[in-house]
Amino acid sequence: MAQFSRVSGSVGLITLQNPPVNALSAAVRQGIVDTVNKALQEPEVKSVVICGQNKVFCGGADIKSFRGVMTGPPLIPMIHAIEASTKPVVAAIEGIALGGGLELALACHYRISHTKARLGLPEVTLGLLPAAAGSQRLPRLIGITAALDLITTGRHVTAAEALQLGIVDHVTDQNTVDVALKFASSVAGKPLDARRISLYPCPPSDDTDALFEEAMQRVRRSARGAIAPVACVQAVRAAATLPYAQGLEREKELMATLFTSGQARALQYSFFAQRAVGRWSMPSGAQWDTVEPLPVQKTAVIGLGTMGRGIVVALTQAGFSVVAVETHEKQLTQAKQAIEEMLIRGAKRRGVTPEHDTITYSHSMEPVANVDLVIEAVFEDMVLKEKVFQQLSAVCKPGTLLCTNTSGLDIDHLASKTPNPELVVGMHFFAPAHVMKLLEVVYGRQSSPRAVATAMQLGKKMGKVSVAVGNCLGFVGNRMLKPYMNQAFFLLEEGASPELVDQALEEFGFIMGPFRMSDLSGIDVGWRIRKEEGLAVPDQRTGQIPRMQKGCRYSPVGDLICEQGRFGQKTGQGWYRYDKPGGRVARPDPWMQTFLNQYRATHGLVPRRIDPKEVLERCLYALINEGFQTLEEGIAAAPEDIDVIYVFGYSWPQHRGGPMFYADMVGLEKIMDRLEHYHQAHPDVPSLQPCNLLRKLVAIGSPPIHKWSQVMKTLRSQL
Ligand SMILES: CCCCCC/C=C/CC(=O)SCCNC(=O)CCNC(=O)[C@H](O)C(C)(C)COP(=O)(O)OP(=O)(O)OC[C@H]1O[C@@H](n2cnc3c(N)ncnc32)[C@H](O)[C@@H]1OP(=O)(O)O
């Protein structure tokens, strides 16, 4: 909807009304068409201002409507009608002008923005391009290079940057609508041709071909198979090389392909999934909108290794005071310096002053006594963590929330060591903790809903995408990774090389395949865990690590690599070789080929040719099957939770939505059939056996992903 009023006798004020972001729904577009016509027809109206209700200009097209039949007036004729208006039209931009919202503003003859507004064309993040003439108008207004940057990244700019780039004409910290009304009145009757962007030539550049070639290479490198950034470059190229009308045709053509693509569907699903995870629930029925978080101002972090340092930085940047505790004096000094440097770099990047005076460094627990929330981030060792939790229980004031940063240890066990287990939750940060967006908030059997609500809110304030999950070995993310990694190891045994497995998964869209990733994070990390689990231990009789453990196939290849001191990048050798310890460039290692040949010969394994399709099916379907298992058990509450975890924590390509969305796209029946096929070939690998929920979903006709929750409820109630 859009409301029309006349202000000071001669200025027509059009207010978009569609909370919360005044998205351009069919009704809003119809409202704009009607009110613009009214303004043009009323002789008393000499100029027009367009603004948004509740100090929000416009968040763009209504993304929810993309999956249905599009109704209402189309955007492009509306935009052209505004630009062609004989009366000056001024956009009063408050809050946001994004996507179609900015395209609407670009149709206006003048743009006035509040200092705090953010502007951008984020369509690429939804698998689209700015197809309401944005790809043709922005380059004409601000030049090719700046337009390419904004359109291919979708980044939002501040009002100050928008002014510098020439997107807006004026920035104010006053009431923007009042300023715009006054300005509109002052330009009534002035000629408008010089204000119509479609009439501008695209500013020439020195070497257009080279510029676009370079831009295309850049987006292809970072897009990991995403098609929208490539289409964005093509659309801007049309703006640079074709007359406006032909450029628009090209924009339309490119958009038509994107709009119906699986990638656009995946990215739009991901947009809503990120918001859905905030509406968390626990098996007890407690949920986000019925529980009040505890107030948190003062926090503490115990242990200032890599994770602890990142957490201190994230908390400080979010405005919390932090007591940073490290018992080793030398480590404390080093941590202090590292944290200060990270804060300075972060502040520089964000254009603010660094916030260090809110951190108190301490080598003892005493200053923790009056904090509201503690995050323990000591080494991943249960005995050590138990000790810290006992100390915290003795020191902290009553009601302090105790969080443990762990990637998989048992929250219930740790909680049982404290007098108030209801105040214990897990917080699984991802390294580097001040950069990575994901946070798994893990509730134990006794964690109170208020404790979970508080941790979720803290995560949100730290700018994280927080997902509440149940307690089990590895929680959701690492638990699903285990069958994926196992398949990667088995494939090596059967004839694949680390390069072949990595390449298949990198072509799928992962930033790194499992072996390059394992070299980066340290192969010894998994080795230590497997030893603790009693897996990577040689049989006393044969001296070899058994290839069957607890009745299941087990591959010791990772353990044997570690026994050679090959821990990955840090030792200069792992699945690959590096030019030096700490080197980053992975090169195939002939040693590995020889090692694998010998290993296969020792165990009577006859290598066979493995194709990338098998790599993808075995690694991904095993991971997906585990995802269904976590849903069945209620460890993950919804498929969106898993997908957000994988996209933000495990580099699953966002244009493929996440593992569960991908399963829906591939077809559940196919996933089940292929799992059964591989399970038949490898009956000693139980993670290849389709789980109950997957079977049940297939049995009822493979309903689409948004209907799985209902099936899960029924299934759980039957258990
Ligand atoms: C061939 C066919 C041609 C079709 C032409 C199609 C043209 C497309 C051009 C476009 O405009 S695409 C859309 C471009 N806009 C965006 O990408 C903006 C997306 N939104 C955001 O980035 C953020 O929501 C925000 C606007 C920056 C606000 O962030 P904030 O953190 O303050 O709030 P949220 O929790 O994110 O959002 C609140 C609420 O609003 C919903 N929402 C936001 N934007 C839209 C939108 N454009 N359409 C529909 N709904 C939107 C969001 O889902 C939240 O809803 P909830 O129910 O409360 O979770």
Side-chain angles (χ1 to χ4, degrees):
M1 287 121 297
Q3 194 192 52
F4 180 81
S5 57
R6 193 139 51 81
V7 184
S8 315
S10 66
V11 186
L13 178 64
I14 295 173
T15 309
L16 313 186
Q17 295 179 324
N18 185 16
V21 300
N22 297 321
L24 296 166
S25 62
V28 172
R29 295 197 307 276
Q30 189 61 59
I32 297 174
V33 170
D34 294 345
T35 49
V36 168
N37 283 340
K38 191 172 167 62
L40 292 181
Q41 280 159 15
E42 278 191 13
E44 299 84 358
V45 173
K46 305 291 180 213
S47 55
V48 181
V49 168
I50 303 182
C51 69
Q53 196 185 30
N54 298 333
K55 299 202 174 296
V56 175
F57 182 70
C58 178
D62 181 358
I63 306 167
K64 286 193 193 94
S65 71
F66 289 175
R67 297 274 64 87
V69 180
M70 301 286 272
T71 55
L75 275 171
I76 292 200
M78 183 181 98
I79 272 166
H80 286 147
I82 293 172
E83 190 189 68
S85 154
T86 47
K87 301 176 183 177
V89 185
V90 181
I93 301 170
E94 297 172 297
I96 46 167
L98 296 174
L102 180 56
E103 290 171 305
L104 171 65
L106 294 177
C108 299
H109 306 108
Y110 299 93
R111 285 158 294 282
I112 294 180
S113 167
H114 190 266
T115 34
K116 292 204 173 130
R118 284 182 300 144
L119 301 89
L121 293 175
E123 285 87 341
V124 69
T125 63
L126 299 167
L128 305 174
L129 59 82
S135 74
Q136 304 305 299
R137 288 163 168 270
L138 195 66
R140 286 179 159 78
L141 184 64
I142 65 171
I144 300 167
T145 308
L148 268 174
D149 168 36
L150 260 59
I151 292 173
T152 59
T153 62
R155 76 181 175 92
H156 301 179
V157 296
T158 59
E161 189 179 349
L163 182 66
Q164 195 200 348
L165 288 169
I167 299 176
V168 297
D169 303 293
H170 180 68
V171 172
T172 178
D173 58 3
Q174 310 291 305
N175 182 316
T176 314
V177 177
D178 286 349
V179 174
L181 286 168
K182 208 164 155 199
F183 178 81
S185 178
S186 75
V187 290
K190 296 234 169 102
L192 289 172
D193 265 3
R195 308 296 313 174
R196 296 189 170 108
I197 298 173
S198 69
L199 303 180
Y200 296 4
C202 199
S205 75
D206 286 348
D207 186 347
T208 310
D209 280 346
L211 196 152
F212 280 102
E213 190 47 43
E214 196 264 321
M216 194 56 102
Q217 278 178 16
R218 194 176 55 245
V219 298
R220 281 197 207 279
R221 259 197 316 273
S222 57
R224 294 155 63 196
I227 53 174
V230 172
C232 285
V233 175
Q234 290 170 325
V236 177
R237 189 179 189 125
T241 53
L242 298 174
Y244 180 73
Q246 283 177 36
L248 272 188
E249 278 305 307
R250 182 76 179 124
E251 178 190 90
K252 191 173 160 192
E253 243 169 63
L254 290 163
M255 177 65 158
T257 313
L258 294 181
F259 198 73
T260 50
S261 70
Q263 293 198 3
R265 238 185 90 193
L267 285 158
Q268 289 155 27
Y269 161 85
S270 192
F271 173 85
F272 290 113
Q274 278 172 66
R275 281 141 187 94
V277 297
R279 296 188 277 273
W280 56 272
S281 64
M282 290 166 75
S284 63
Q287 57 182 40
W288 65 285
D289 55 350
T290 56
V291 189
E292 190 66 18
L294 297 160
V296 174
Q297 268 152 10
K298 296 180 186 161
T299 66
V301 176
I302 317 296
L304 300 181
T306 313
M307 290 307 287
R309 294 172 193 188
I311 297 169
V312 172
V313 171
L315 284 168
T316 308
Q317 287 175 340
F320 294 99
S321 77
V322 188
V323 176
V325 180
E326 172 57 61
T327 48
H328 298 104
E329 206 61 65
K330 191 172 160 206
Q331 172 100 314
L332 181 65
T333 313
Q334 286 171 346
K336 186 172 176 184
Q337 190 179 345
I339 289 169
E340 302 291 300
E341 282 169 11
M342 285 193 265
L343 285 171
I344 290 169
R345 275 200 302 275
K348 198 170 164 195
R349 209 178 34 250
R350 292 180 298 141
V352 295
T353 39
E355 330 72 342
H356 358 227
D357 48 356
T358 51
I359 308 175
T360 309
Y361 293 92
S362 168
H363 60 269
S364 82
M365 290 280 196
E366 273 146 47
V368 175
N370 68 344
V371 305
D372 310 309
L373 178 145
V374 183
I375 302 176
E376 162 279 304
V378 300
F379 193 66
E380 191 80 338
D381 174 82
M382 186 53 103
V383 177
L384 179 61
K385 283 183 189 277
E386 277 177 22
K387 206 175 129 202
V388 172
F389 264 62
Q390 276 154 1
Q391 285 174 319
L392 288 170
S393 302
V395 168
C396 290
K397 67 179 184 191
T400 302
L401 190 63
L402 300 185
C403 308
T404 173
N405 170 56
T406 168
S407 58
L409 293 180
D410 186 355
I411 305 300
D412 289 329
H413 178 84
L414 209 49
S416 72
K417 302 289 164 193
T418 73
N420 298 101
E422 73 282 5
L423 290 174
V424 175
V425 288
M427 276 188 142
H428 179 198
F429 287 89
F430 290 71
H434 60 301
V435 176
M436 291 288 284
K437 290 275 285 181
L438 181 66
L439 175 66
E440 276 183 318
V441 170
V442 190
Y443 53 82
R445 252 198 314 273
Q446 299 188 67
S447 307
S448 73
R450 279 197 94 182
V452 176
T454 310
M456 289 294 284
Q457 194 190 54
L458 186 86
K460 192 172 180 186
K461 288 190 176 164
M462 291 163 96
K464 305 287 177 206
V465 183
S466 309
V467 186
V469 300
N471 179 33
C472 67
L473 196 65
F475 313 136
V476 170
N478 283 346
R479 170 174 165 173
M480 288 171 64
L481 204 60
K482 197 170 170 188
Y484 167 88
M485 283 308 295
N486 281 345
Q487 287 305 317
F489 290 146
F490 297 156
L491 286 161
L492 291 192
E493 291 186 336
E494 292 165 36
S497 63
E499 301 85 274
L500 183 133
V501 174
D502 280 350
Q503 196 182 343
L505 287 154
E506 285 163 19
E507 272 170 18
F508 177 79
F510 281 97
I511 293 175
M512 285 183 199
F515 295 109
R516 284 215 298 140
M517 180 53 89
S518 153
D519 268 2
L520 173 71
S521 53
I523 313 180
D524 53 320
V525 179
W527 186 39
R528 193 168 33 79
I529 296 170
R530 292 192 296 274
K531 279 197 284 193
E532 277 165 17
E533 289 173 11
L535 293 170
V537 185
D539 182 280
Q540 281 182 341
R541 207 169 31 87
T542 61
Q544 288 190 353
I545 303 171
R547 292 187 52 247
M548 285 295 283
Q549 306 250 10
K550 299 174 193 158
C552 305
R553 178 173 172 185
Y554 176 78
S555 170
V557 284
D559 309 328
L560 299 174
I561 297 292
C562 286
E563 283 177 8
Q564 300 290 320
R566 298 176 69 108
F567 294 166
Q569 286 188 3
K570 59 187 165 195
T571 56
Q573 292 171 324
W575 298 108
Y576 295 88
R577 69 186 165 87
Y578 301 83
D579 54 354
K580 57 176 188 291
R584 293 289 171 95
V585 183
R587 296 187 205 289
D589 193 345
W591 180 93
M592 181 58 63
Q593 200 51 51
T594 312
F595 162 81
L596 286 173
N597 285 340
Q598 278 171 0
Y599 173 86
R600 292 173 193 135
T602 307
H603 294 284
L605 297 163
V606 181
R608 60 186 173 86
R609 208 190 139 272
I610 288 171
D611 68 14
K613 178 169 171 263
E614 180 174 349
V615 174
L616 290 185
E617 288 186 344
R618 282 178 59 182
C619 293
L620 299 182
Y621 295 1
L623 177 142
I624 286 167
N625 196 31
E626 195 65 31
F628 278 114
Q629 188 64 45
T630 65
L631 286 173
E632 191 177 317
E633 292 170 18
I635 295 290
E640 287 86 350
D641 293 354
I642 297 176
D643 287 336
V644 165
I645 288 172
Y646 261 79
V647 165
F648 289 97
Y650 295 84
S651 94
W652 184 283
Q654 198 164 5
H655 60 266
R656 292 189 189 269
M660 307 322 280
F661 180 87
Y662 178 69
D664 187 28
M665 292 281 265
V666 170
L668 300 188
E669 195 163 354
K670 177 173 174 196
I671 304 265
M672 190 181 84
D673 286 351
R674 297 308 289 159
L675 279 167
E676 272 171 347
H677 163 83
Y678 290 118
H679 188 235
Q680 249 168 32
H682 307 279
D684 49 2
V685 184
S687 57
L688 288 173
Q689 190 168 20
C691 74
N692 276 341
L693 176 59
L694 175 56
R695 286 186 190 286
K696 171 96 186 177
L697 285 164
V698 173
I700 59 167
S702 301
I705 193 162
H706 62 272
K707 299 215 167 132
W708 295 359
S709 293
Q710 197 47 48
V711 181
M712 277 149 48
K713 263 190 214 145
T714 321
L715 197 65
R716 282 186 208 138
S717 68
Q718 287 167 359
L719 289 174

